């Protein structure tokens, strides 16, 4: 059994259709060709998939002439029960609202404003011990590479974590517009906190210390939460800013789907190379599901249900036939 070489398509398709188990042992039990779990483990450690391979995969689906925005955000691939896996560090998790063990993943999504469709075009694994790079460094490098690849967004959108002066200036150096949230205690107009200002419904021009003049909008949610949305776009409207921030939500949907549907958190391999390969293949599996969602109008969750529903129906019939 172990003589059969595990190939990328088998592993990726397994992640694409399995909604319960994602281990090499599970793959060996369902593989269409003889395949041992040891072969899966060896293959996963021997490959060298990188973020540039994701661009090669998705580039044919990217319409560079269509109006778009770039969305940057990070997520934590939880490894709370995995103390011996490389690249695992204690980091803050937005889902858990606490510091937990995991692998940091910084993502860059291309969002088509016409089709209202988001596709990941780049990612970086946050592992400062191996490359010395911060999440902000990864963010800037991905934007520079996106420009080199010919992506010309109408805006770059990110949350407050990436709203440092260096990042804002980096985006401006590309000639791009940015839209982001700022924390309420950010110092503006030389010596005032943002939440101390009277902000007009149609936006107020403020001086962001160390950067220059920008426009801020105040949005109050039904639960009372206040967001301060800021942009360097000239004469922005409230509707424009809202539409851009609404598009940002697609990255949260992406994070949830790639975790729940493609098992990106479920790899227990200990080496960093195996983990990196699994992350790439999980993202690739998500992209295959996304293409079906677009072409066949089937959600990722419906795709997973279609895989198992016939087996469940058959087992129900069997059990009902033999109630005792």
């Amino acid at each position: 059994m172990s003589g059969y070489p595990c190939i990328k398509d088998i592993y990726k398709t397994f992640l694409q259709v399995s909604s319960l188990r994602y281990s090499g042992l599970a793959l060996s039990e369902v593989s269409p060709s003889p395949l041992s779990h040891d072969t899966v483990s060896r293959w996963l450690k021997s490959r060298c998939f990188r973020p540039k391979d994701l661009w090669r995969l998705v580039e044919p689906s990217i319409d560079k002439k269509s109006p778009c925005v770039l969305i940057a955000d990070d997520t934590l691939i939880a490894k709370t029960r995995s103390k011996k896996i490389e690249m695992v560090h204690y980091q803050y998790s937005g889902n858990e609202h606490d510091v937990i063990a995991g692998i940091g993943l910084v993502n860059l999504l291309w969002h088509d404003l016409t089709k209202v469709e988001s596709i990941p075009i780049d990612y970086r694994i946050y592992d400062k011990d191996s490359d010395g790079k911060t999440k902000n460094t990864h963010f800037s490098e991905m934007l520079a590479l996106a420009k080199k690849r010919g992506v010309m967004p109408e805006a770059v959108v990110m949350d407050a974590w990436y709203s440092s002066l260096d990042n804002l200036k980096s985006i401006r150096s590309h000639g791009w517009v940015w839209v982001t949230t700022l924390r309420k205690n950010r110092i503006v107009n030389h010596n005032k906190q943002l939440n101390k200002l009277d902000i007009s419904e149609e936006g107020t021009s403020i001086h962001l210390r160390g950067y220059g003049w920008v426009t801020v909008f105040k949005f109050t949610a039904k639960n009372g939460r206040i967001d301060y949305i800021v942009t360097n776009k000239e004469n922005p409207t409230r509707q424009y800013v809202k539409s851009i921030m609404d598009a940002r939500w697609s990255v949260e949907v992406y994070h949830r789907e790639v975790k729940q549907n493609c098992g990106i958190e479920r790899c227990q391999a200990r080496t960093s190379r195996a983990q990196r390969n699994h992350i790439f293949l999980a993202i690739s599996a998500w992209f295959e599901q996304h293409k079906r969602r677009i072409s066949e109008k089937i959600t990722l969750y419906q795709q997973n249900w279609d895989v198992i529903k016939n087996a469940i129906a058959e087992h129900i019939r069997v059990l009902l036939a033999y109630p005792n």
Side-chain angles (χ1 to χ4, degrees):
M1 290 181 66
S2 61
Y4 185 83
C6 181
I7 61 174
K8 180 175 70 173
D9 287 343
I10 292 178
Y11 194 98
K12 181 179 68 175
T13 304
F14 171 63
L15 297 180
Q16 185 179 339
V17 300
S18 179
S19 56
L20 296 174
R21 300 179 62 189
Y22 300 92
S23 66
L25 177 60
L27 174 55
S28 70
E29 293 174 347
V30 299
S31 174
S33 302
L35 183 65
S36 73
H37 69 278
D38 286 337
T39 300
V40 177
S41 297
R42 288 194 296 269
W43 178 84
L44 197 59
K45 290 188 292 185
S46 68
R47 302 300 93 185
C48 191
F49 299 118
R50 299 185 182 279
K52 63 183 180 181
D53 296 313
L54 176 63
W55 175 250
R56 295 193 186 103
L57 177 66
V58 304
E59 185 179 10
S61 299
I62 304 299
D63 183 356
K64 297 178 183 178
K65 296 181 180 180
S66 181
C68 69
V69 296
L70 290 178
I71 307 169
D73 198 10
D74 60 83
T75 189
L76 186 63
I77 300 174
K79 300 289 183 182
T80 54
R81 300 180 181 179
S82 312
K83 298 181 179 180
K84 296 185 179 180
I85 293 179
E86 296 175 357
M87 301 193 301
V88 171
H89 305 285
Y90 280 93
Q91 303 171 57
Y92 181 79
S93 167
N95 288 336
E96 300 295 333
H97 301 289
D98 198 0
V99 175
I100 64 172
I103 298 174
L105 182 66
V106 186
N107 294 296
L108 186 66
L109 270 63
W110 171 87
H111 179 84
D112 189 317
L113 292 171
T114 302
K115 297 180 181 178
V116 193
E117 172 190 9
S118 294
I119 297 175
I121 62 171
D122 207 349
Y123 69 92
R124 295 291 186 274
I125 294 173
Y126 173 59
D127 184 27
K128 199 171 182 180
D129 291 344
S130 65
D131 57 23
K133 295 180 180 181
T134 66
K135 291 181 180 179
N136 287 315
T137 303
H138 289 309
F139 171 78
S140 296
E141 290 181 351
M142 287 193 294
L143 290 182
L145 185 55
K147 184 176 183 178
K148 185 177 180 180
R149 288 168 170 168
V151 179
M152 298 300 294
E154 292 196 359
V156 177
V157 57
M158 62 282 189
D159 63 16
W161 179 269
Y162 295 98
S163 65
S164 69
L165 289 177
D166 287 342
N167 285 342
L168 301 183
K169 290 178 180 178
S170 175
I171 298 171
R172 182 173 63 183
S173 71
H174 295 309
W176 293 344
V177 168
W178 51 260
V179 180
T180 187
T181 56
L182 292 184
R183 302 191 188 281
K184 64 181 181 180
N185 61 350
R186 189 75 173 252
I187 300 299
V188 298
N189 293 353
H190 302 297
N191 60 359
K192 290 185 178 181
Q193 288 188 1
L194 188 56
N195 62 340
K196 303 298 183 182
L197 298 180
D198 291 327
I199 300 175
S200 166
E201 180 75 9
E202 294 306 318
T204 298
S205 181
I206 62 172
H207 187 272
L208 185 60
R209 188 167 68 178
Y211 182 89
W213 291 96
V214 295
T215 304
V216 60
F217 294 82
K218 181 178 178 180
F219 290 86
T220 304
K222 292 181 179 179
N223 63 1
R225 170 178 168 169
I226 297 175
D227 288 319
Y228 297 95
I229 312 300
V230 183
T231 179
N232 66 333
K233 181 178 175 62
E234 294 185 6
N235 303 315
T237 64
R238 187 178 185 86
Q239 181 56 39
Y240 168 83
V241 170
K242 184 179 185 303
S243 66
I244 296 298
M245 292 307 295
D246 286 347
R248 200 202 77 82
W249 181 250
S250 63
V251 73
E252 305 293 348
V253 175
Y254 166 69
H255 288 160
R256 183 178 71 245
E257 290 177 342
V258 77
K259 291 178 181 180
Q260 294 182 355
N261 295 284
C262 303
I264 197 170
E265 293 182 310
R266 302 288 291 278
C267 178
Q268 296 302 311
R270 293 188 177 184
T271 68
S272 61
R273 175 42 53 196
Q275 285 289 336
R276 289 176 184 273
N277 289 335
H278 175 82
I279 289 169
F280 165 77
L281 291 165
I283 296 173
S284 300
W286 178 93
F287 181 61
E288 295 302 324
Q289 288 187 312
H290 172 72
K291 288 193 294 185
R292 282 197 64 197
R293 170 167 53 191
I294 297 300
S295 62
E296 302 177 34
K297 310 300 181 185
I298 305 175
T299 69
L300 271 66
Y301 300 97
Q302 183 63 46
Q303 291 176 43
N304 284 347
W305 175 243
D306 288 344
V307 172
I308 64 175
K309 66 180 182 182
N310 291 333
I312 293 175
E314 178 61 27
H315 277 74
I316 289 175
R317 286 192 290 268
V318 171
L319 293 175
L320 290 177
Y322 301 97
N324 296 323

